[in-house]
Amino acid sequence: MKHSTIVDIFSSHSTKQLSTVLSGNIFAAGFGFFTVLLISRDLSVSDFGLFNLAMSYMVIMARFAAFGTEIPLIKYCSSYISAGKNEEAGQVVRTSFYIRITVSLILAFFTFSSTELIAIRLFHYPELVPLIKLSAIGIFTISTFSFIRTVF
């Protein structure tokens, strides 16, 4: 059995791919952090709280839109591709995509159509109505980009 040296480990193809993903995640987190800093400078404490409430609702609903498709997508696609069954892997991707789009559209439509109910009855803030409507669009967008990130 061959023992790898530290140089071999750091120069491997997998390590290079991992560092690419890691740097992309760090960039995305930094971009999000600075975006929140810029937004928070121009909003009052109350408005920033409402903004965060709407963003949290959007992110939670987008996670529900994933509907448990990410792990099976990765598991079955990788096993089908490693076995040379590209047609089956493509079918898994398509099925997962259709489920994700359908569920995210249903959640976005539900959110948009019940904006007043969510803002007034659930959160007790009528000022949230326009932000919740924007969140409805964000549910679909985040869900779609999350699927693309998972596949590619």
Side-chain angles (χ1 to χ4, degrees), residues 100-117:
R100 176 78 64 97
I101 293 298
T102 303
V103 172
S104 65
L105 283 174
I106 290 169
L107 285 174
F109 178 75
F110 168 76
T111 298
F112 196 83
S113 64
S114 60
T115 302
E116 288 82 15
L117 178 72

Side-chain angles (χ1 to χ4, degrees), residues 125-139:
Y125 281 103
E127 299 87 11
L128 265 177
V129 170
L131 291 174
I132 297 291
K133 286 184 179 182
L134 285 174
S135 294
I137 297 167
I139 292 169

